[in-house]
Amino acid sequence: QVQLVESGGGLVQAGGSLTLSCAASERTYSTYPMGWFRQVPGKERAVVAAIDWNGGSTYYRDSVKGRFTISRDNPKNTVYLQMSSLQPLDTATYYCAAVTKPYGSRPFLHVYEYAYWGQGTQVTVSS
């Protein structure tokens, strides 16, 4: 069964940093555009950052620009989200997801475009 497994979440003070990892269980994922989303209770899941299949094109929501970096290591079937200068408003469950379009050459921004999802990892930023 195809799986995406996130790790790296936790509790951090405001101004701190965390790096999330998303490991895919199949080599096929190295050809798929990927994204990181976040969700807080009572709100819709929203894209945080997204990346095309080989890392040549990325997208960031405005509130994380300059603080978060999405990257991927295709030989390791892993996507990363480096988060710095974290703020309490960044507190959420973070999910990675995959768009099943091999060699997709742009980031995808919408939940409905993503076919596979991880189980989520909690990030809590204390003030």
Side-chain angles (χ1 to χ4, degrees), residues 43-99:
K43 292 192 175 182
E44 293 186 352
R45 194 170 296 187
V47 67
V48 175
I51 192 167
D52 71 345
W53 82 275
N54 67 351
S57 183
T58 57
Y59 164 86
Y60 298 94
R61 68 182 301 111
D62 286 347
S63 62
V64 307
K65 285 180 181 177
R67 302 189 298 122
F68 290 14
T69 301
I70 188 170
S71 61
R72 64 191 301 159
D73 186 337
N74 282 348
K76 294 183 178 180
N77 297 343
T78 303
V79 177
Y80 304 96
L81 185 67
Q82 296 174 278
M83 306 184 293
S84 63
S85 301
L86 283 162
Q87 304 165 3
L89 284 176
D90 295 316
T91 295
T93 301
Y94 284 71
Y95 299 88
C96 71
V99 177

Side-chain angles (χ1 to χ4, degrees), residues 27-33 52-53 72 74 99 101-104:
R27 188 83 178 96
T28 310
Y29 278 93
S30 66
T31 69
Y32 292 163
D52 71 345
W53 82 275
R72 64 191 301 159
N74 282 348
V99 177
K101 293 185 182 296
Y103 307 106

Side-chain angles (χ1 to χ4, degrees), residues 1-2 11 26 34 38 40 45-46 50-51 58 63 69 76 85 92 98-99 104-105 110 116-118 125:
Q1 185 176 354
V2 172
L11 174 63
E26 292 190 357
M34 301 288 290
R38 66 187 182 190
V40 297
R45 194 170 296 187
I51 192 167
T58 57
S63 62
T69 301
K76 294 183 178 180
S85 301
V99 177
S105 59
H110 306 288
Y116 293 107
W117 294 83
V125 185

